[in-house]
Structures are given as C-alpha cells and as structure tokens.
Amino acid sequence: MGWEEVQVRGYAEFVRSAERYHGRPIFALFCGDKDAEGRSWCPDCVTAEPVVRKELHNLPDESVFIYCLVGDRAYWKDPNNEFRKNLKLTGVPTLLKYGTPQKLVEEECFKADLVRMLFTED
Amino acid sequence: SVQAHKEEDNPEKTMEMNGLTPVPDSYDYDLIVIGGGSGGLAAAKEAAKYGKKVMVLDFVTPTPQGSSWGLGGTCVNVGCIPKKLMHQAALLGQALQDSRKFGWQFTEDVKHNWMTMTESVQNYIGSLNWGYRVTLRDTKVTYENAYGEFVGPHTIKATNKKGVEKLYTAERFIIATGERPRYLGVPGDKEHCISSDDLFSLPYCPGKTLVVGASYVALECAGFLAGLGLDVTVMVRSILLRGFDQDMANKIGEYMKEHGVSFIREFVPIKIEKVEEGTPGILKVTAKSTTENQLIEGEYNTVLLAIGRDPCTRKIGLDKVGVKINEKTGKIPVNDEEQTNVPYIYAIGDILQDKLELTPVAIQAGRLLVQRLYAGATTKCDYVNVPTTVFTPLEYGACGYSEQTAVEKFGEENIEVYHSHFWPLEWTVPSRDNNKCYAKIICNIQDKERVIGFHVLGPNAGEVTQGFAAAMKCGLTKEQLDGTVGIHPVCAEV
C-alpha cells in the first residue's frame, strides 16, 4: 500500500489524526489558513506547498501525510497557541516527521532535495 | 603487464605505473573526509564554502552491547554534549537541595528518573544529527553513511550497513576517524561491561555502578551518576587524571569522596561475571591489587569501563597507501600543517599524535587546514594555551602548564605560584563546603611574571576559564592581572 493524505484544520483535529495513525510513519505540513480563493495568509506557505507536494511520491509505503491548516494569522501570532506550546513549532510552514526531531522550517521547505531527504532517509 | 590489467577500475594507477601522473579532473571529488565528527564536518563544510566537491563518510561500528548513533561524531553523540547535559541534571539535583535553605518549600522527597533524562538528551542529540544532515545537503556536501577504507592511491572503498561497496577517488583526503573506548582484555569485559558509548543512551537506570578508570571520562561519569543518587565506586589503577595538574586532580578526588563516591585505589579488574540477568542485572567483579597479592570481589548492577580510547586507524587501509602510524598507540604523526607522510593525505582531531584531544581543537585544525589548501591562507593551528574544563562535580578549568610540568620545564626557582581558596557566595546560605573551591596561577619569573598556567576549581569553571585563556594568549602578566579590577561578587574575581 502506498501513502495517503489526510487534511485537518486546527490543533485538536491534528492530534486526533496523529493518534488514529499511530504506528505508521506520519509526515505533517503545517500552513496558515486559506481564504475563499484558496490563498494562504502565509506567503512562505504558498511557496512551499507545491515544492512539498511534488516530492510526496517519495514517501515510504504505509506513510500518512497530514496537511494541517493551523488557523488565522492572529491565532498563529499568539505565542501561547497550542502548536507552539505542545508541538514546539516556531514558524509556518513547518514540515516534519512526527515523533522524531526531523523537521524543516520556513525557507528550508522551499528546497526540494531537503524535502526529499526528510521523506526518504532515517 | 598482468598487474596493469588487474587494476581496471583504477585508471590512475595504470597511468602511474606507465610513468604518467593521473589527470586531476579524473577524480570523483576534490576532497573526501573520512569521519563525520567535530573535525571532519568542520573541514567538509569549510571546503564546500570554497566551491570544492566534497564527500563525507561517517559510519559507527556498533558497540559490543549494540549501541550506535547518527552523524556528528563522539562529541555530539557520546561525548561532550550528553555528558554536559547529564552533569547539569546532577547539578540541578544539588540545586534542589540547596533551594530549601533559600526558602523554597516542597514536601516530597526529590527523586530522579533516568528514562526521562535520557529521552530528553537523546531527543536533543537527534535534532543535532538531523541539523548536520540538513547543513551538509544544503552546502552540497555528499554524505554517505558508509565505512571508508583506502584500497589504493587516491581511492577509497565505502561499505554501507547493508554491505554494498562503492569506490570513490579524490585529489585529497582528510582522515578524521576519531577514537573508541578501550576494553580491559579480561574475561567478561565485552560481554558484560558498558562504556561511555553505551551510557548516554542506556535504556534502563544503571543502578549501583563500578566505574573503572581515572580519566576525566571516568570521573565525570562517576560524578554525575552519584549526583543523580546512584551508588558509585571508582576503581583506579594508579593516579587520577594523568596528564593534568596533580595537585588539582587530588582535590577533585577528595571532593568526590566527601560527596558520596567510593574509591578503590591501586586495583584492576581481572574478571567480570554475570550472576543475575536483568536490566540492569547483577555483575560480580574480581579485582587484583597492583601492589600486593590481594584479590577482592564486589557486586554491581553496571560496570562502566573508562580506561582510555584508541584511534580508529588500524582498519582503514592506511597500509595500502603508505600512511605511517605509531604502531604502539595507533596515532598518526603529522607535521604542523596536519599532513601525514603521504602528501595528499591529511589528518585531524583525536587521532593525531601528541596533540590535544578536544572538539574545538579538531574544528580549528580542520578549518585552518582547508583554508590553507583552498583559500591561500597560511595560518597554522595554534596548539599552545588551549583551555579545557573537566566537568566533575566540582568543575576544574585549566589553561597552560600544570604546576609539575612548569617546574620541570623552567625550574622551581623560576616559577611563582599564587593561589587562593574561595567560598562562592551562592554556597554560603546552604552551608556548602567553605574550603574546597580553589584557584592558582603559575607565573614565569624570568619573563615579567607572565602567567603560564591557570587553574580553577569551582562552579562554572569553564565559563571562568575562557576569558583567562584569551588574556593568556595576549601575554597576561601577574602585574596586569593585579591591575584588573574584579567583578563582585563572583568566583572569577579571585
């Protein structure tokens, strides 16, 4: 079985999703919310998303890719939001391998070979 | 000739044998670095800055207990970093006790959880391993998790953990393979004992521990294990901290003894047997006196060997390319430009003969070497007056000569030693020892009382020593030191 994508919005949904897929490799991309036209308030997320999507075919079998919208700009800027507090996220976009210290933050997500490295190597 | 046909995969050698020098751009890489530790990574990143095509090979042969780790070398994975974090864990335990005298009230007894600490430490190390992978990839340095060994001129073979072999050629090589802990060579050592390579990722609390050795590794580990509340004994063959100022070494030992560490002096283990399975189990250690005909036995949950480290130079094919090593120690002699006897092969870090085994030294040597090779620089690595710190429970910072070496080199009548005991202000309220912290400087009378040795025993010794090292590099004299007003109230004002 290849990989599958799950889309969630907000911290609670993210946690439920991660728990549901416990035991399989989980990769997550955190981005700012999108407006009615589908554009994110976070310009770096707009740049990173296509780069990350282009590398998804490199995900190991059985993986789950969670695409998570974190909230609006005001929520994100709050230093006590749950993503910052509990997942220790420092910026969006963040691409990480859940349960490991392996992650790429902001401009690192623009680099296809770093994204590929995150998806393919231990 | 028959030989030329055999070397088909190595066109350079064929050409060499026909009297032609290999063409430079037929090499796969400008530089191959064997070893992805402090020295190797610093050199590789520096070379990439100058646009060179670089490869780093890093491979960890698992310990007899099966431990292994990621990219970054000893310091990051099984050395300085986890050591300092665990030392800090122990200091925090002490601070919790002191805090009651400063008014903090908490009713429960404070206990330590080994797994919580170890998981946090390993998590941090994991982020460092990942960070190095990202940096190498970002700076276009090729990294392979494979064991590198020379198979011929300018050629190495890289074998990954699945046994797949690949050959690579390069114009130049830097050997930065570092060292691994030595074993005793007695029955039961590899089967039952652990080393520092295993300690920092041990998946269970070590319990009652026997530390064999008197190196800084042994004393630092014994120190923090005792600080975490474990029953610790140190078995010493002869002296403590060989190579360090013996006056300071003895003070460190005394402090540890008074703070819960037992010492067994002048004994060496001759046999280790497992008497009970478990994590940890129970081990029986039989030891022999070095001075008389006496045998003793003891039972411990864990035996940690810290009796020395050996360079990883014997199985990397150095004989195939003619690199000379010291056959007895395995260390590689180099000139003052880190070059081995083979002109295109260099070496840096702990494997060097007669050089300090410290991360910052390896990093500095690696960077300067690469700058000389590719950026036209001429600066050589300065190995004089390198500061160090031993993170025993009472920390010891030093820079320059020990008292005994200064006496040997300059003569007792030509040196003056100024010393002082001090009581850190923070120790007064919780009634901690008032006569243990100590500092001394050794001055050369014949050279304007220049400070040639600095030693301090007390909290934050590393932080204190760094500044003095810079001053010594500038030629600090006693007069200048006296003329510098102290910061109050801090230990460093002494």
Side-chain angles (χ1 to χ4, degrees), chain B residues 16-62:
Chain B
E16 258 176 35
M17 288 172 48
N18 289 325
L20 298 167
T21 0
V23 175
D25 53 44
S26 66
Y27 295 125
D28 299 322
Y29 290 90
D30 295 313
L31 178 68
I32 292 182
V33 179
I34 310 181
S38 303
L41 290 180
K45 286 191 277 195
E46 191 72 17
K49 263 165 57 178
Y50 303 115
K52 296 297 157 187
K53 193 163 177 230
V54 189
M55 164 180 265
V56 169
L57 293 175
D58 187 68
F59 191 82
V60 179
T61 307

mmCIF file of all heavy atoms in Angstrom, chain B residues 16-62:
data_model
loop_
_atom_site.group_PDB
_atom_site.id
_atom_site.type_symbol
_atom_site.label_atom_id
_atom_site.label_comp_id
_atom_site.label_asym_id
_atom_site.label_seq_id
_atom_site.Cartn_x
_atom_site.Cartn_y
_atom_site.Cartn_z
ATOM 1 N N GLU B 16 49.905 5.729 -13.580
ATOM 2 C CA GLU B 16 51.090 5.932 -12.738
ATOM 3 C C GLU B 16 52.169 4.934 -13.054
ATOM 4 O O GLU B 16 53.339 5.246 -13.110
ATOM 5 C CB GLU B 16 50.716 5.781 -11.260
ATOM 6 C CG GLU B 16 50.571 7.102 -10.549
ATOM 7 C CD GLU B 16 50.098 6.915 -9.124
ATOM 8 O OE1 GLU B 16 50.492 5.925 -8.489
ATOM 9 O OE2 GLU B 16 49.319 7.756 -8.677
ATOM 10 N N MET B 17 51.739 3.673 -13.231
ATOM 11 C CA MET B 17 52.721 2.629 -13.457
ATOM 12 C C MET B 17 53.377 2.791 -14.815
ATOM 13 O O MET B 17 54.471 2.302 -15.039
ATOM 14 C CB MET B 17 52.074 1.251 -13.342
ATOM 15 C CG MET B 17 51.754 0.943 -11.907
ATOM 16 S SD MET B 17 50.792 -0.532 -11.703
ATOM 17 C CE MET B 17 51.689 -1.642 -12.734
ATOM 18 N N ASN B 18 52.695 3.469 -15.717
ATOM 19 C CA ASN B 18 53.317 3.729 -17.004
ATOM 20 C C ASN B 18 54.090 5.029 -16.995
ATOM 21 O O ASN B 18 54.457 5.558 -18.034
ATOM 22 C CB ASN B 18 52.243 3.768 -18.107
ATOM 23 C CG ASN B 18 51.692 2.383 -18.355
ATOM 24 O OD1 ASN B 18 52.427 1.410 -18.265
ATOM 25 N ND2 ASN B 18 50.407 2.284 -18.614
ATOM 26 N N GLY B 19 54.251 5.612 -15.783
ATOM 27 C CA GLY B 19 55.064 6.820 -15.650
ATOM 28 C C GLY B 19 54.300 8.100 -15.886
ATOM 29 O O GLY B 19 54.856 9.184 -15.902
ATOM 30 N N LEU B 20 52.963 8.006 -16.050
ATOM 31 C CA LEU B 20 52.191 9.229 -16.266
ATOM 32 C C LEU B 20 51.491 9.620 -14.974
ATOM 33 O O LEU B 20 50.980 8.772 -14.259
ATOM 34 C CB LEU B 20 51.117 9.004 -17.338
ATOM 35 C CG LEU B 20 51.627 8.631 -18.729
ATOM 36 C CD1 LEU B 20 50.472 8.137 -19.586
ATOM 37 C CD2 LEU B 20 52.300 9.820 -19.392
ATOM 38 N N THR B 21 51.425 10.925 -14.633
ATOM 39 C CA THR B 21 50.683 11.346 -13.433
ATOM 40 C C THR B 21 49.195 11.385 -13.775
ATOM 41 O O THR B 21 48.842 11.811 -14.873
ATOM 42 C CB THR B 21 51.084 12.756 -12.992
ATOM 43 O OG1 THR B 21 52.060 13.243 -13.869
ATOM 44 C CG2 THR B 21 51.572 12.765 -11.573
ATOM 45 N N PRO B 22 48.342 10.971 -12.830
ATOM 46 C CA PRO B 22 46.899 10.979 -13.107
ATOM 47 C C PRO B 22 46.420 12.415 -13.378
ATOM 48 O O PRO B 22 46.888 13.344 -12.743
ATOM 49 C CB PRO B 22 46.263 10.455 -11.824
ATOM 50 C CG PRO B 22 47.349 9.894 -11.010
ATOM 51 C CD PRO B 22 48.624 10.490 -11.486
ATOM 52 N N VAL B 23 45.474 12.545 -14.281
ATOM 53 C CA VAL B 23 44.931 13.855 -14.605
ATOM 54 C C VAL B 23 43.981 14.313 -13.499
ATOM 55 O O VAL B 23 43.088 13.580 -13.127
ATOM 56 C CB VAL B 23 44.159 13.779 -15.945
ATOM 57 C CG1 VAL B 23 43.488 15.104 -16.247
ATOM 58 C CG2 VAL B 23 45.090 13.356 -17.063
ATOM 59 N N PRO B 24 44.147 15.514 -12.925
ATOM 60 C CA PRO B 24 43.345 15.943 -11.781
ATOM 61 C C PRO B 24 41.841 15.797 -11.980
ATOM 62 O O PRO B 24 41.173 15.309 -11.099
ATOM 63 C CB PRO B 24 43.719 17.416 -11.596
ATOM 64 C CG PRO B 24 45.078 17.521 -12.166
ATOM 65 C CD PRO B 24 45.170 16.522 -13.256
ATOM 66 N N ASP B 25 41.282 16.203 -13.113
ATOM 67 C CA ASP B 25 39.827 16.132 -13.167
ATOM 68 C C ASP B 25 39.291 14.748 -13.479
ATOM 69 O O ASP B 25 38.139 14.576 -13.821
ATOM 70 C CB ASP B 25 39.246 17.198 -14.111
ATOM 71 C CG ASP B 25 39.888 17.129 -15.479
ATOM 72 O OD1 ASP B 25 40.058 16.003 -15.998
ATOM 73 O OD2 ASP B 25 40.226 18.193 -16.013
ATOM 74 N N SER B 26 40.099 13.730 -13.297
ATOM 75 C CA SER B 26 39.542 12.398 -13.389
ATOM 76 C C SER B 26 39.160 11.887 -12.006
ATOM 77 O O SER B 26 38.645 10.803 -11.869
ATOM 78 C CB SER B 26 40.545 11.425 -14.023
ATOM 79 O OG SER B 26 41.638 11.271 -13.155
ATOM 80 N N TYR B 27 39.371 12.679 -10.940
ATOM 81 C CA TYR B 27 38.960 12.283 -9.602
ATOM 82 C C TYR B 27 37.467 12.549 -9.449
ATOM 83 O O TYR B 27 36.922 13.497 -10.001
ATOM 84 C CB TYR B 27 39.711 13.080 -8.531
ATOM 85 C CG TYR B 27 41.192 12.823 -8.489
ATOM 86 C CD1 TYR B 27 42.097 13.867 -8.582
ATOM 87 C CD2 TYR B 27 41.694 11.528 -8.337
ATOM 88 C CE1 TYR B 27 43.466 13.640 -8.523
ATOM 89 C CE2 TYR B 27 43.060 11.298 -8.285
ATOM 90 C CZ TYR B 27 43.939 12.352 -8.382
ATOM 91 O OH TYR B 27 45.275 12.130 -8.324
ATOM 92 N N ASP B 28 36.796 11.696 -8.637
ATOM 93 C CA ASP B 28 35.375 11.906 -8.364
ATOM 94 C C ASP B 28 35.167 13.175 -7.538
ATOM 95 O O ASP B 28 34.195 13.891 -7.717
ATOM 96 C CB ASP B 28 34.801 10.726 -7.572
ATOM 97 C CG ASP B 28 34.909 9.413 -8.347
ATOM 98 O OD1 ASP B 28 34.712 9.445 -9.572
ATOM 99 O OD2 ASP B 28 35.191 8.379 -7.720
ATOM 100 N N TYR B 29 36.072 13.405 -6.567
ATOM 101 C CA TYR B 29 35.908 14.519 -5.622
ATOM 102 C C TYR B 29 37.210 15.281 -5.461
ATOM 103 O O TYR B 29 38.288 14.728 -5.640
ATOM 104 C CB TYR B 29 35.484 13.990 -4.238
ATOM 105 C CG TYR B 29 34.077 13.454 -4.236
ATOM 106 C CD1 TYR B 29 33.816 12.125 -4.524
ATOM 107 C CD2 TYR B 29 32.997 14.298 -3.985
ATOM 108 C CE1 TYR B 29 32.526 11.638 -4.566
ATOM 109 C CE2 TYR B 29 31.701 13.820 -4.019
ATOM 110 C CZ TYR B 29 31.470 12.492 -4.317
ATOM 111 O OH TYR B 29 30.179 12.026 -4.352
ATOM 112 N N ASP B 30 37.105 16.556 -5.100
ATOM 113 C CA ASP B 30 38.297 17.321 -4.728
ATOM 114 C C ASP B 30 38.809 16.821 -3.377
ATOM 115 O O ASP B 30 40.004 16.708 -3.157
ATOM 116 C CB ASP B 30 37.964 18.818 -4.580
ATOM 117 C CG ASP B 30 37.539 19.436 -5.899
ATOM 118 O OD1 ASP B 30 38.229 19.198 -6.913
ATOM 119 O OD2 ASP B 30 36.517 20.152 -5.916
ATOM 120 N N LEU B 31 37.847 16.529 -2.459
ATOM 121 C CA LEU B 31 38.218 16.168 -1.088
ATOM 122 C C LEU B 31 37.264 15.123 -0.538
ATOM 123 O O LEU B 31 36.040 15.259 -0.669
ATOM 124 C CB LEU B 31 38.148 17.419 -0.199
ATOM 125 C CG LEU B 31 38.449 17.237 1.294
ATOM 126 C CD1 LEU B 31 39.900 16.880 1.523
ATOM 127 C CD2 LEU B 31 38.104 18.525 2.059
ATOM 128 N N ILE B 32 37.830 14.078 0.031
ATOM 129 C CA ILE B 32 36.992 13.117 0.761
ATOM 130 C C ILE B 32 37.426 13.137 2.214
ATOM 131 O O ILE B 32 38.617 13.007 2.521
ATOM 132 C CB ILE B 32 37.122 11.682 0.191
ATOM 133 C CG1 ILE B 32 36.498 11.619 -1.208
ATOM 134 C CG2 ILE B 32 36.410 10.674 1.105
ATOM 135 C CD1 ILE B 32 36.532 10.244 -1.853
ATOM 136 N N VAL B 33 36.436 13.317 3.096
ATOM 137 C CA VAL B 33 36.713 13.349 4.533
ATOM 138 C C VAL B 33 36.206 12.045 5.122
ATOM 139 O O VAL B 33 35.030 11.693 4.948
ATOM 140 C CB VAL B 33 35.983 14.538 5.201
ATOM 141 C CG1 VAL B 33 36.261 14.558 6.692
ATOM 142 C CG2 VAL B 33 36.416 15.852 4.565
ATOM 143 N N ILE B 34 37.108 11.320 5.795
ATOM 144 C CA ILE B 34 36.698 10.049 6.401
ATOM 145 C C ILE B 34 36.454 10.305 7.880
ATOM 146 O O ILE B 34 37.379 10.495 8.656
ATOM 147 C CB ILE B 34 37.777 8.967 6.225
ATOM 148 C CG1 ILE B 34 38.222 8.908 4.765
ATOM 149 C CG2 ILE B 34 37.223 7.604 6.667
ATOM 150 C CD1 ILE B 34 39.275 7.862 4.489
ATOM 151 N N GLY B 35 35.167 10.345 8.249
ATOM 152 C CA GLY B 35 34.816 10.623 9.644
ATOM 153 C C GLY B 35 33.961 11.874 9.719
ATOM 154 O O GLY B 35 34.403 12.943 9.294
ATOM 155 N N GLY B 36 32.738 11.738 10.231
ATOM 156 C CA GLY B 36 31.818 12.877 10.294
ATOM 157 C C GLY B 36 31.647 13.391 11.706
ATOM 158 O O GLY B 36 30.529 13.575 12.187
ATOM 159 N N GLY B 37 32.781 13.623 12.368
ATOM 160 C CA GLY B 37 32.725 14.165 13.724
ATOM 161 C C GLY B 37 33.035 15.649 13.707
ATOM 162 O O GLY B 37 32.909 16.312 12.685
ATOM 163 N N SER B 38 33.463 16.140 14.884
ATOM 164 C CA SER B 38 33.722 17.577 15.004
ATOM 165 C C SER B 38 34.700 18.067 13.951
ATOM 166 O O SER B 38 34.437 19.057 13.264
ATOM 167 C CB SER B 38 34.294 17.878 16.387
ATOM 168 O OG SER B 38 33.424 17.422 17.388
ATOM 169 N N GLY B 39 35.845 17.379 13.818
ATOM 170 C CA GLY B 39 36.859 17.822 12.862
ATOM 171 C C GLY B 39 36.409 17.630 11.421
ATOM 172 O O GLY B 39 36.484 18.555 10.603
ATOM 173 N N GLY B 40 35.925 16.434 11.116
ATOM 174 C CA GLY B 40 35.535 16.105 9.747
ATOM 175 C C GLY B 40 34.455 17.024 9.189
ATOM 176 O O GLY B 40 34.562 17.520 8.059
ATOM 177 N N LEU B 41 33.415 17.261 9.974
ATOM 178 C CA LEU B 41 32.319 18.100 9.477
ATOM 179 C C LEU B 41 32.768 19.542 9.286
ATOM 180 O O LEU B 41 32.409 20.194 8.311
ATOM 181 C CB LEU B 41 31.119 18.044 10.424
ATOM 182 C CG LEU B 41 30.359 16.717 10.450
ATOM 183 C CD1 LEU B 41 29.186 16.789 11.424
ATOM 184 C CD2 LEU B 41 29.856 16.333 9.072
ATOM 185 N N ALA B 42 33.587 20.035 10.235
ATOM 186 C CA ALA B 42 34.060 21.420 10.108
ATOM 187 C C ALA B 42 34.880 21.581 8.835
ATOM 188 O O ALA B 42 34.720 22.554 8.087
ATOM 189 C CB ALA B 42 34.896 21.806 11.327
ATOM 190 N N ALA B 43 35.760 20.604 8.568
ATOM 191 C CA ALA B 43 36.604 20.674 7.371
ATOM 192 C C ALA B 43 35.753 20.589 6.112
ATOM 193 O O ALA B 43 35.949 21.358 5.163
ATOM 194 C CB ALA B 43 37.633 19.545 7.403
ATOM 195 N N ALA B 44 34.792 19.671 6.094
ATOM 196 C CA ALA B 44 33.962 19.473 4.902
ATOM 197 C C ALA B 44 33.147 20.728 4.586
ATOM 198 O O ALA B 44 33.078 21.175 3.439
ATOM 199 C CB ALA B 44 33.026 18.277 5.097
ATOM 200 N N LYS B 45 32.526 21.303 5.624
ATOM 201 C CA LYS B 45 31.705 22.500 5.403
ATOM 202 C C LYS B 45 32.553 23.651 4.907
ATOM 203 O O LYS B 45 32.151 24.423 4.041
ATOM 204 C CB LYS B 45 30.984 22.892 6.701
ATOM 205 C CG LYS B 45 29.833 21.960 7.023
ATOM 206 C CD LYS B 45 28.959 22.474 8.145
ATOM 207 C CE LYS B 45 29.517 22.154 9.502
ATOM 208 N NZ LYS B 45 28.508 22.327 10.577
ATOM 209 N N GLU B 46 33.775 23.762 5.454
ATOM 210 C CA GLU B 46 34.669 24.844 5.046
ATOM 211 C C GLU B 46 35.066 24.676 3.587
ATOM 212 O O GLU B 46 35.071 25.632 2.812
ATOM 213 C CB GLU B 46 35.899 24.848 5.962
ATOM 214 C CG GLU B 46 36.795 26.048 5.836
ATOM 215 C CD GLU B 46 36.214 27.326 6.420
ATOM 216 O OE1 GLU B 46 35.255 27.235 7.217
ATOM 217 O OE2 GLU B 46 36.690 28.405 6.040
ATOM 218 N N ALA B 47 35.372 23.446 3.181
ATOM 219 C CA ALA B 47 35.801 23.208 1.802
ATOM 220 C C ALA B 47 34.667 23.513 0.831
ATOM 221 O O ALA B 47 34.898 24.039 -0.263
ATOM 222 C CB ALA B 47 36.277 21.772 1.639
ATOM 223 N N ALA B 48 33.430 23.189 1.235
ATOM 224 C CA ALA B 48 32.287 23.458 0.366
ATOM 225 C C ALA B 48 32.117 24.954 0.155
ATOM 226 O O ALA B 48 31.698 25.398 -0.920
ATOM 227 C CB ALA B 48 31.013 22.863 0.974
ATOM 228 N N LYS B 49 32.496 25.732 1.177
ATOM 229 C CA LYS B 49 32.407 27.192 1.053
ATOM 230 C C LYS B 49 33.251 27.707 -0.094
ATOM 231 O O LYS B 49 32.955 28.739 -0.700
ATOM 232 C CB LYS B 49 32.913 27.872 2.342
ATOM 233 C CG LYS B 49 31.801 28.252 3.282
ATOM 234 C CD LYS B 49 32.222 28.593 4.681
ATOM 235 C CE LYS B 49 33.233 29.701 4.854
ATOM 236 N NZ LYS B 49 33.485 29.941 6.296
ATOM 237 N N TYR B 50 34.353 27.018 -0.390
ATOM 238 C CA TYR B 50 35.236 27.452 -1.476
ATOM 239 C C TYR B 50 34.892 26.754 -2.781
ATOM 240 O O TYR B 50 35.704 26.694 -3.697
ATOM 241 C CB TYR B 50 36.707 27.226 -1.093
ATOM 242 C CG TYR B 50 37.065 27.947 0.184
ATOM 243 C CD1 TYR B 50 37.422 27.251 1.329
ATOM 244 C CD2 TYR B 50 37.005 29.332 0.252
ATOM 245 C CE1 TYR B 50 37.704 27.911 2.513
ATOM 246 C CE2 TYR B 50 37.284 30.002 1.439
ATOM 247 C CZ TYR B 50 37.630 29.286 2.562
ATOM 248 O OH TYR B 50 37.904 29.928 3.730
ATOM 249 N N GLY B 51 33.675 26.183 -2.830
ATOM 250 C CA GLY B 51 33.209 25.595 -4.078
ATOM 251 C C GLY B 51 33.813 24.249 -4.416
ATOM 252 O O GLY B 51 33.728 23.796 -5.550
ATOM 253 N N LYS B 52 34.437 23.591 -3.410
ATOM 254 C CA LYS B 52 35.056 22.310 -3.709
ATOM 255 C C LYS B 52 34.023 21.191 -3.672
ATOM 256 O O LYS B 52 33.039 21.266 -2.947
ATOM 257 C CB LYS B 52 36.165 22.003 -2.674
ATOM 258 C CG LYS B 52 37.304 22.987 -2.734
ATOM 259 C CD LYS B 52 37.999 22.929 -4.070
ATOM 260 C CE LYS B 52 38.732 24.200 -4.396
ATOM 261 N NZ LYS B 52 39.262 24.190 -5.764
ATOM 262 N N LYS B 53 34.258 20.134 -4.443
ATOM 263 C CA LYS B 53 33.365 18.969 -4.459
ATOM 264 C C LYS B 53 33.834 18.048 -3.329
ATOM 265 O O LYS B 53 34.925 17.504 -3.381
ATOM 266 C CB LYS B 53 33.469 18.276 -5.814
ATOM 267 C CG LYS B 53 32.384 17.260 -6.037
ATOM 268 C CD LYS B 53 32.248 16.884 -7.528
ATOM 269 C CE LYS B 53 31.183 15.801 -7.679
ATOM 270 N NZ LYS B 53 31.627 14.661 -8.475
ATOM 271 N N VAL B 54 32.991 17.927 -2.291
ATOM 272 C CA VAL B 54 33.404 17.228 -1.068
ATOM 273 C C VAL B 54 32.474 16.065 -0.730
ATOM 274 O O VAL B 54 31.262 16.155 -0.928
ATOM 275 C CB VAL B 54 33.367 18.195 0.139
ATOM 276 C CG1 VAL B 54 33.993 17.562 1.366
ATOM 277 C CG2 VAL B 54 34.041 19.510 -0.190
ATOM 278 N N MET B 55 33.073 14.997 -0.204
ATOM 279 C CA MET B 55 32.266 13.886 0.310
ATOM 280 C C MET B 55 32.683 13.625 1.753
ATOM 281 O O MET B 55 33.869 13.705 2.076
ATOM 282 C CB MET B 55 32.505 12.628 -0.517
ATOM 283 C CG MET B 55 32.021 11.357 0.193
ATOM 284 S SD MET B 55 32.292 9.872 -0.746
ATOM 285 C CE MET B 55 30.726 9.725 -1.512
ATOM 286 N N VAL B 56 31.681 13.324 2.587
ATOM 287 C CA VAL B 56 31.958 12.919 3.967
ATOM 288 C C VAL B 56 31.456 11.490 4.133
ATOM 289 O O VAL B 56 30.320 11.176 3.766
ATOM 290 C CB VAL B 56 31.206 13.808 4.986
ATOM 291 C CG1 VAL B 56 31.303 13.207 6.385
ATOM 292 C CG2 VAL B 56 31.770 15.211 4.994
ATOM 293 N N LEU B 57 32.319 10.645 4.685
ATOM 294 C CA LEU B 57 31.896 9.290 5.015
ATOM 295 C C LEU B 57 31.858 9.184 6.528
ATOM 296 O O LEU B 57 32.831 9.536 7.199
ATOM 297 C CB LEU B 57 32.917 8.272 4.491
ATOM 298 C CG LEU B 57 33.049 8.157 2.985
ATOM 299 C CD1 LEU B 57 34.183 7.215 2.645
ATOM 300 C CD2 LEU B 57 31.770 7.657 2.367
ATOM 301 N N ASP B 58 30.733 8.726 7.060
ATOM 302 C CA ASP B 58 30.657 8.541 8.504
ATOM 303 C C ASP B 58 29.993 7.207 8.777
ATOM 304 O O ASP B 58 28.972 6.881 8.163
ATOM 305 C CB ASP B 58 29.840 9.659 9.153
ATOM 306 C CG ASP B 58 29.894 9.584 10.676
ATOM 307 O OD1 ASP B 58 30.975 9.833 11.233
ATOM 308 O OD2 ASP B 58 28.875 9.254 11.301
ATOM 309 N N PHE B 59 30.576 6.427 9.664
ATOM 310 C CA PHE B 59 29.986 5.128 9.986
ATOM 311 C C PHE B 59 30.300 4.778 11.420
ATOM 312 O O PHE B 59 31.437 4.944 11.861
ATOM 313 C CB PHE B 59 30.554 4.056 9.056
ATOM 314 C CG PHE B 59 29.809 2.754 9.150
ATOM 315 C CD1 PHE B 59 28.635 2.566 8.444
ATOM 316 C CD2 PHE B 59 30.259 1.730 9.978
ATOM 317 C CE1 PHE B 59 27.929 1.371 8.539
ATOM 318 C CE2 PHE B 59 29.561 0.535 10.083
ATOM 319 C CZ PHE B 59 28.390 0.357 9.348
ATOM 320 N N VAL B 60 29.298 4.330 12.151
ATOM 321 C CA VAL B 60 29.520 3.938 13.534
ATOM 322 C C VAL B 60 29.416 2.432 13.637
ATOM 323 O O VAL B 60 28.345 1.857 13.413
ATOM 324 C CB VAL B 60 28.469 4.586 14.461
ATOM 325 C CG1 VAL B 60 28.688 4.146 15.889
ATOM 326 C CG2 VAL B 60 28.523 6.097 14.340
ATOM 327 N N THR B 61 30.556 1.790 13.974
ATOM 328 C CA THR B 61 30.506 0.350 14.217
ATOM 329 C C THR B 61 29.832 0.168 15.570
ATOM 330 O O THR B 61 30.283 0.747 16.562
ATOM 331 C CB THR B 61 31.937 -0.225 14.267
ATOM 332 O OG1 THR B 61 32.622 0.162 13.086
ATOM 333 C CG2 THR B 61 31.920 -1.732 14.386
ATOM 334 N N PRO B 62 28.734 -0.602 15.655
ATOM 335 C CA PRO B 62 28.035 -0.726 16.937
ATOM 336 C C PRO B 62 28.943 -1.263 18.046
ATOM 337 O O PRO B 62 29.880 -2.010 17.788
ATOM 338 C CB PRO B 62 26.904 -1.714 16.634
ATOM 339 C CG PRO B 62 26.697 -1.611 15.166
ATOM 340 C CD PRO B 62 28.050 -1.314 14.578
#
